[in-house]
Amino acid sequence: MAPKKKLKAGFTTGTAAAAAAKGALALIMEGESPLKVRIRLLTGDYFDIPLYSCKSEGKNRAVCTVIKDAGDDPDITHRAKIGALVFFDEKSESGEIIIKGGEGVGMVTKPGLEVFPGNPAINSGPEKMITEAVNDLLSRHNKKKRVVVEIFVPEGKKLAEKTLNKRLGIIGGISILGTTGLVKPMSHEAYIATIRSSLSVALAMGVKKVVMTTGRRSERFAMDALFDLPEESFIQIGDFFKMSVEAASRMDFNSVILAVFFGKAVKQAQGVPHTHASKSELTMHKLSTWAYEITKNKKLSENILSANTARHAFDFIVDDYPEVISHVGRLMIKSAKKFTESPMDIQSMIFDYRGDILFDSIKKGALN
């Protein structure tokens, strides 16, 4: 067996913004552009970030850019250009650092996020890193100036179309993020942060019922079925079943609807906290057991046990054994309730792979 490749770490958009700002200020104060700058991460560690471009735009004014490197993490902003325009406000020597959002940085328009509406989507972590990077140079040169830093992302508006920013009320570009400054390969942190932000925005918008789907396709089908709910009600949770239900139960929601395809439904029915595809063998064994207990059909049970995936097993079930699907739907609810920390109404909805509803506990009598 070949040795497992060690995945490469990267850095966040916040780290890239701080590096661009520090590079531009270094050009202003030292008269030449550095090839790289050292940034102190929010962990306290230091990271050397190469600069992509740096140029002067007149007296006490410069622009630098950094190519964001997410390492081996599948990040939408990987290889995006993050820039900073930096200049001194000659009218003040207050030592204040003003951080603004420029082209491609989203504007927050809905409540519920860390950043208040009407402000650029630059979170507190990146703000702290930018401020520290600027202060590092100012103190090194013993200067007290009012510094303005405008962060920009040339392709930010286009990149934002591939994110949930619009749903969260972040318009016109991407968010400048980072809780540590580093991107860990295949990290769950960013996805979890998006789930929490989505729940927070929904709550702030007055939503009391949320619909948890596992991705864009299941969400699209759920939106068609539950068309009377606002878009803020729909939360894409990916594989984070337990974490999402727990988070919703800690907040002031009245109801959660789990709306998923059959494969994820089976894993949620088993109470699998994180429903990643790697657990398929256990999934088939449990589904096979349920099918036999309900139908007493040994052949059906054997076919399910030999199936490669829940989707494959679904083909043996869908036409003739709706009671098995209903059983899975009821168990989804039972499992989810074990993850709640306060009383909450939970319902379930299972789609086939074309988007037709096979089970819907919301309908009267579906749980009987």
Side-chain angles (χ1 to χ4, degrees), residues 256-272:
V256 167
I257 300 171
L258 303 167
V260 300
F261 293 115
F262 182 72
K264 293 295 185 186
V266 172
K267 291 184 177 179
Q268 290 184 359
Q270 290 182 62
V272 176

Side-chain angles (χ1 to χ4, degrees), residues 24-324:
L25 186 59
L27 177 55
I28 292 171
M29 302 186 74
E30 297 170 358
E32 62 179 84
S33 168
L35 295 176
K36 60 184 178 181
V37 292
R38 177 158 288 191
I39 296 297
R40 185 173 184 268
L41 305 177
L42 295 167
T43 59
D45 300 312
Y46 288 87
F47 206 93
D48 289 333
I49 309 293
L51 298 175
Y52 177 72
S53 67
C54 222
K55 65 177 181 178
S56 174
E57 292 206 336
K59 184 183 178 182
N60 292 332
R61 188 179 180 97
V63 175
C64 283
T65 61
V66 167
I67 300 299
K68 193 277 182 76
D69 182 358
D72 288 325
D73 197 65
D75 190 313
I76 286 170
T77 59
H78 180 56
R79 307 303 298 168
K81 189 184 294 184
I82 313 289
L85 165 65
V86 177
F87 59 91
F88 289 142
D89 182 350
E90 300 292 353
K91 297 177 182 178
S92 172
E93 293 193 0
S94 64
E96 185 180 13
I97 298 168
I98 306 297
I99 301 172
K100 299 181 177 182
E103 176 191 6
V105 174
M107 184 67 68
V108 177
T109 65
K110 292 180 181 178
L113 297 175
E114 178 185 333
V115 178
F116 292 124
N119 292 291
I122 304 174
N123 280 13
S124 60
E127 281 195 338
K128 183 178 180 180
M129 294 176 68
I130 294 167
T131 299
E132 188 169 305
V134 169
N135 278 330
D136 178 47
L137 277 174
L138 290 175
S139 61
R140 196 183 305 171
H141 291 274
N142 197 26
K143 285 194 178 290
K144 190 176 183 181
K145 294 280 189 179
R146 188 173 193 259
V147 181
V148 179
V149 179
E150 183 179 294
I151 305 302
F152 63 91
V153 185
E155 295 293 314
K157 192 170 184 178
K158 186 176 180 180
L159 290 171
E161 294 173 2
K162 301 175 184 179
T163 73
L164 291 174
N165 275 12
K166 187 176 179 182
R167 176 84 51 81
L168 297 175
I170 300 171
I171 306 300
I174 66 167
S175 306
I176 304 300
L177 302 172
T179 54
T180 64
L182 280 178
V183 174
K184 296 178 182 177
M186 309 305 290
S187 168
H188 294 163
E189 293 176 9
Y191 208 120
I192 290 172
T194 299
I195 295 170
R196 294 188 190 282
S197 294
S198 298
L199 288 169
S200 182
V201 168
L203 195 63
M205 296 295 290
V207 169
K208 293 296 184 181
K209 177 186 293 185
V210 290
V211 182
M212 294 185 174
T213 65
T214 54
R216 293 184 184 276
R217 286 184 66 232
S218 55
E219 181 182 80
R220 186 170 74 249
F221 295 140
M223 283 181 162
D224 289 341
L226 302 166
F227 56 85
D228 56 328
L229 296 178
E231 70 169 359
E232 292 86 5
S233 295
F234 296 86
I235 313 293
Q236 290 183 28
I237 67 169
D239 292 313
F240 297 95
F241 177 37
K242 179 182 179 182
M243 169 264 147
S244 301
V245 173
E246 281 180 343
S249 74
R250 294 189 194 110
M251 304 168 82
D252 195 24
F253 292 108
N254 295 336
S255 176
V256 167
I257 300 171
L258 303 167
V260 300
F261 293 115
F262 182 72
K264 293 295 185 186
V266 172
K267 291 184 177 179
Q268 290 184 359
Q270 290 182 62
V272 176
H274 186 264
T275 59
H276 191 267
S278 63
K279 304 179 188 296
S280 58
E281 186 177 340
L282 176 61
T283 301
M284 293 305 98
H285 188 274
K286 199 69 176 175
L287 181 59
S288 173
T289 300
W290 292 338
Y292 183 73
E293 289 173 350
I294 293 166
T295 68
K296 306 304 179 187
N297 185 322
K298 188 176 181 181
K299 181 64 175 175
L300 172 64
S301 177
E302 290 173 348
N303 284 338
I304 292 172
L305 194 58
S306 66
N308 295 322
T309 64
R311 183 166 184 163
H312 184 196
F314 176 74
D315 293 335
F316 302 123
I317 298 169
V318 61
D319 292 330
D320 299 316
Y321 304 100
E323 64 270 32
V324 175

